[in-house]
Amino acid sequence: MDIDKTAIHATSAARATALRAFATPPEPEPASIDVLVLDDSQFDAMCILRECRRTELPVRVTIATNMDHFRELLSKQRYHLVFIDYMLPDGDGLAAQQILRDGEKNGHSPVVMISGEARHDVAVRAMKGGCIDYKSKTDLTKDALKSLILRALEEGSKLARSHLDQSMALQKQDIVAAIRDVLREEMSSLAMTPFGAPEAMRRMLQSYGLIPEGDGYDWSQVLDDPAANFVFRTH
């Protein structure tokens, strides 16, 4: 029995779109690693900058000396890692961290809380607030900073993959919905055709990898059951 070639082409095009969507390349490594330091002590901030450069990583350090400057810098670009001094003249590190979390660009940026002296209570509050670590400034050696930077990049990569997976899932839903619309139109045109049309439709769907091979699959559910999904494959 002949099948409407327009429907076949439409289904094939939808399938090609699906394959292109799932071929999204991985996010490239950053050319430079942007680090933001919030510290009212210019001396301490410059020490962190110097040690970051000694890591031999492509680090670009920006320094904010107060909350207003910090807020301004956060609004301009994304940072791979943010160091926040707990003791600040116009607030504390936890308030600064909240400013970061509330922002659009850096709401998920990894944060390390730092302090002039090791304090257990600050460490606990910082980690509960979502910091990846708490460090005394005296512990911010070249090796410690390199480890923190690489850890932050790994955390950022995991987050990027999670966002990509969510985006891909939404794309897949849109593609499946588009394919269902094509099939509904085809079934509407076949409604008055002879009794072999459903079998012909099943064979066409199998030929394009949209449903499994065999006779036990009820292909009508691809139109009626929102929980049903297509099987995408390459030939």
Side-chain angles (χ1 to χ4, degrees):
M1 177 180 179
D2 291 336
I3 304 237
D4 186 349
K5 289 185 172 56
T6 301
I8 293 178
H9 291 321
T11 306
S12 179
R15 179 171 172 269
T17 301
L19 292 176
R20 285 196 299 272
F22 291 108
T24 304
E27 183 175 329
E29 290 296 323
S32 62
I33 303 169
D34 288 304
V35 173
L36 176 60
V37 178
L38 170 59
D39 197 327
D40 63 302
S41 168
Q42 191 73 14
F43 175 81
D44 290 344
M46 292 303 296
C47 286
I48 295 173
L49 183 151
R50 183 180 64 250
E51 292 300 305
C52 280
R53 288 176 175 172
R54 293 182 62 220
T55 64
E56 299 182 351
L57 295 172
V59 181
R60 182 168 55 192
V61 178
T62 304
I63 298 172
T65 57
N66 57 61
M67 289 283 206
D68 289 338
H69 191 201
F70 181 65
R71 187 182 288 106
E72 178 186 352
L73 291 171
L74 291 175
S75 68
K76 290 181 176 179
Q77 72 169 79
R78 290 186 175 90
Y79 292 92
H80 298 97
L81 177 60
V82 180
F83 290 95
I84 297 178
D85 185 14
Y86 180 73
M87 297 297 295
L88 297 166
D90 49 354
D92 61 29
L94 297 176
Q97 185 183 6
Q98 191 59 50
I99 291 174
L100 178 143
R101 296 299 177 214
D102 291 341
E104 181 180 350
K105 291 184 180 296
N106 292 280
H108 298 284
S109 295
V111 173
V112 175
M113 192 72 68
I114 58 177
S115 179
E117 58 183 22
R119 290 180 49 182
H120 178 72
D121 60 324
V122 174
V124 171
R125 293 174 67 189
M127 300 301 285
K128 285 184 177 180
C131 291
I132 64 170
D133 211 333
Y134 167 84
K135 291 287 185 183
S136 169
K137 292 182 182 181
T138 57
D139 294 333
L140 295 177
T141 62
K142 173 192 70 174
D143 292 336
L145 286 168
K146 184 172 184 177
S147 177
L148 287 170
I149 291 168
L150 294 176
R151 181 178 168 192
L153 290 179
E154 182 180 359
E155 293 289 332
S157 179
K158 289 179 181 177
L159 182 62
R161 285 197 296 271
S162 175
H163 288 169
L164 179 60
D165 289 344
Q166 294 175 16
S167 176
M168 296 284 281
L170 292 175
Q171 287 184 32
K172 184 176 180 180
Q173 291 176 12
D174 291 341
I175 292 166
V176 169
I179 293 174
R180 283 195 174 112
D181 289 341
V182 170
L183 295 179
R184 286 192 183 95
E185 291 181 9
E186 177 63 9
M187 288 307 300
S188 177
S189 67
L190 292 175
M192 302 303 293
T193 60
F195 143 83
E199 176 62 20
M201 177 62 74
R202 183 178 64 82
R203 289 198 301 270
M204 183 189 73
L205 294 175
Q206 288 175 341
S207 72
Y208 282 93
L210 298 177
I211 63 173
E213 299 288 347
D215 298 329
Y217 188 86
D218 179 11
W219 61 265
S220 64
Q221 66 180 300
V222 301
L223 303 180
D224 303 326
D225 184 359
N229 216 333
F230 293 107
V231 178
F232 293 100
R233 71 185 183 196
T234 58
H235 291 286

